[in-house]
Amino acid sequence: MSRNRLERVCASVGIASLALQQIEDDLRADDVDQEELAAILRELIEDTDPPGGFLAAVAQLLITAAKRAEQIEPDRDGDASCPLHEAASLLTDNAGLRVIWAARALHPQGEFA
């Protein structure tokens, strides 16, 4: 195992966790109204950098892990890769759609101005 790679991954996860904590703190602000909450939710799912938003980026990471697992898992039986592919699908198909529905319910008119 590459120690440097694992250290980079750990550091990256830490940075991502801090960023998510900041978003969570912003969501707790007393002055967040329905329009702004809808805009924040849209940012998680519709942002164009990365394409498809944050949830799509996490799904892509899981797909990459699944593809690697397909190559190295014992007996190539899918015990590791299938759950990873399913998790990615749940993020994009299930979670992503529900975030969109929530944003539309809060502010159906569109983007936060």
Side-chain angles (χ1 to χ4, degrees):
M1 176 189 316
S2 170
R3 183 180 180 115
N4 287 339
R5 181 179 302 121
L6 186 55
E7 288 172 352
R8 284 193 310 271
V9 169
C10 288
S12 295
V13 168
I15 292 166
S17 294
L18 289 173
L20 291 173
Q21 183 61 54
Q22 179 61 52
I23 294 168
E24 190 174 339
D25 291 347
D26 288 337
L27 289 171
R28 287 191 177 108
D30 290 336
D31 62 341
V32 173
D33 63 12
Q34 69 185 45
E35 189 175 338
E36 187 175 18
L37 178 55
I40 291 168
L41 294 174
R42 283 187 182 95
E43 190 65 27
L44 292 175
I45 195 70
E46 295 178 354
D47 186 28
T48 57
D49 187 23
F54 175 77
L55 290 179
V58 173
Q60 181 58 49
L61 183 140
L62 293 172
I63 290 168
T64 301
K67 289 178 179 178
R68 184 63 184 141
E70 288 170 358
Q71 297 170 347
I72 62 174
E73 62 190 342
D75 302 324
R76 299 197 189 277
D77 56 7
D79 283 349
S81 59
C82 284
L84 291 168
H85 281 296
E86 290 170 1
S89 291
L90 286 172
L91 278 174
T92 55
D93 299 344
N94 229 348
L97 188 55
R98 282 167 172 68
V99 171
I100 291 169
W101 290 345
R104 286 181 183 159
L106 288 165
H107 190 252
Q109 302 303 319
E111 296 296 324
F112 175 77

